[in-house]
Amino acid sequence: MSKRLFLKIVSNVEANDSWFQEALDARGRKGFTPLQKVTSAIKQLATRNTPDENDEYLHMAERTSRECLEYFCDTVCKIYASEFLRRPTSHDMALLYEAHEEKHHLPAVASQDLWFWHAFCGPPGSQNDINVLQQSSLFLMERNGTAPKCPFYINNHLYKRGYLLVDGIYHPWSVFVKSITYPHKVDEKKFKRQHEVARKDVERAFGVLKAKWGVLSRPMRARTVGKIRSVVYTCIILHNMILKDDENAIAPVHSRDTPVEPALDDTVLDELMDEDTH
């Protein structure tokens, strides 16, 4: 994270949450500055160290360090989630199609700039991909009619919805594109190779996220589900902010779509689950 971005975050957090503003404590002495509080929070996210690591260096108690992290995560989500944890808009989808087709020769939605376009955290216990999908809100916008329009053509055939590149565990839905398990023809082998290359963008994004924010690599059993969710979302938001600050984002400008009134359509789910729809 650049110094410019860090100072911007400190300024915004201080302006939106009075807890980060410098004030006098019960003894009439000055408390910790916004720089110290935000530094403590980001350091805990990045190094996965315990909250009492600042006891000697900053003379910051374990409780204060824990509060720094909790307040910081809540404030970051409140300020930045609408832009840096947004669902892709029509403008975003157009740029993603163009960038992905140029690199992988497939107009897929996977983003090779490592930007996270959807996050869902919270299901308890041991979960697999199918269980998480059934509980997430990934396709809620499609069902209530508020999803952005992102049609595309392949072989002169119109596909009205975007699709996701997945592995073999998922159901054969119309929005899921799987690889060919045992390709025999030249075209099938080429498709399998391009599909696997494109899916590596997603795997690489998770690797970079966990390497950048060490807190994601350690157990967080001492926290509630809500606090764990806030920590995960904060790491993703900061990850996307760094991509934009480094000018590596494919769609750095948040161009909003025209608001649409939600209208639940029961036929959409049948279309999503029907592999012959496309």
Side-chain angles (χ1 to χ4, degrees):
M1 180 184 296
S2 67
K3 180 180 179 180
R4 177 185 64 255
L5 177 60
F6 172 77
L7 293 178
K8 176 184 176 182
I9 293 174
V10 172
S11 177
N12 291 341
V13 167
E14 180 184 6
N16 284 272
D17 194 333
S18 59
W19 191 86
F20 286 92
Q21 298 172 4
E22 187 175 2
L24 300 179
D25 59 17
R27 301 170 299 174
R29 297 180 180 179
K30 284 187 176 182
F32 292 104
T33 65
L35 279 173
Q36 290 174 309
K37 294 178 179 178
V38 174
T39 299
S40 173
I42 293 182
K43 192 173 182 181
Q44 291 178 66
L45 293 174
T47 63
R48 69 177 181 177
N49 291 345
T50 56
D52 61 353
E53 67 172 338
N54 295 321
D55 250 352
E56 296 182 1
Y57 183 67
L58 292 178
H59 298 285
M60 181 179 289
E62 178 182 353
R63 176 182 175 181
T64 305
S65 295
R66 186 178 291 109
E67 289 179 345
C68 285
L69 180 60
E70 293 176 1
Y71 281 105
F72 177 76
C73 291
D74 291 341
T75 307
V76 165
C77 290
K78 180 178 67 176
I79 300 174
Y80 300 112
S82 60
E83 177 180 357
F84 294 97
L85 201 56
R86 69 183 188 271
R87 298 289 295 271
T89 63
S90 300
H91 175 74
D92 297 329
M93 294 293 289
L95 294 177
L96 289 174
Y97 279 159
E98 180 182 355
H100 199 90
E101 187 171 12
E102 180 181 354
K103 181 177 181 179
H104 296 303
H105 310 291
L106 288 172
V109 184
S111 182
Q112 67 262 23
D113 60 353
L114 308 185
W115 186 288
F116 283 84
W117 293 101
H118 175 75
F120 175 65
C121 175
S126 179
Q127 303 281 340
N128 59 28
D129 295 345
I130 296 298
N131 294 334
V132 173
L133 175 65
Q134 292 173 344
Q135 300 176 66
S136 75
S137 59
L138 180 60
F139 296 113
L140 180 60
M141 295 180 65
E142 281 76 7
R143 294 195 63 189
N144 63 22
T146 60
K149 305 299 181 183
C150 51
F152 58 92
Y153 282 90
I154 291 183
N155 295 331
N156 297 323
H157 183 79
L158 174 63
Y159 296 84
K160 62 180 181 180
R161 291 190 180 90
Y163 61 84
L164 305 175
L165 305 181
V166 298
D167 54 22
I169 190 177
Y170 288 93
H171 297 303
W173 289 11
S174 63
V175 289
F176 294 154
V177 177
K178 303 180 181 181
S179 180
I180 301 174
T181 307
Y182 301 108
H184 299 289
K185 300 179 181 179
V186 176
D187 291 342
E188 292 177 347
K189 293 180 180 180
K190 182 178 180 180
F191 175 80
K192 179 180 177 64
R193 182 171 60 253
Q194 294 292 346
H195 184 282
E196 292 175 348
V197 169
R199 280 193 58 232
K200 286 181 180 178
D201 292 332
V202 180
E203 304 296 338
R204 187 163 59 95
F206 282 110
V208 171
L209 183 71
K210 292 181 67 175
K212 187 178 297 182
W213 306 107
V215 69
L216 300 178
S217 301
R218 61 173 294 177
M220 290 187 281
R221 299 186 182 93
R223 304 180 185 276
T224 63
V225 175
K227 291 179 180 179
I228 293 175
R229 183 185 299 111
S230 181
V231 168
V232 173
Y233 289 169
T234 299
C235 292
I236 295 175
I237 290 171
L238 295 177
H239 169 85
N240 289 343
M241 292 180 70
I242 293 173
L243 287 178
K244 179 179 178 179
D245 184 66
D246 293 340
E247 299 182 353
N248 292 325
I250 294 176
V253 180
H254 184 195
S255 180
R256 301 178 184 270
D257 288 323
T258 304
V260 179
E261 287 295 329
L264 187 63
D265 187 355
D266 293 332
T267 63
V268 173
L269 183 60
D270 295 333
E271 292 182 359
L272 293 175
M273 299 177 66
D274 183 7
E275 62 177 332
D276 296 325
T277 300
H278 280 185

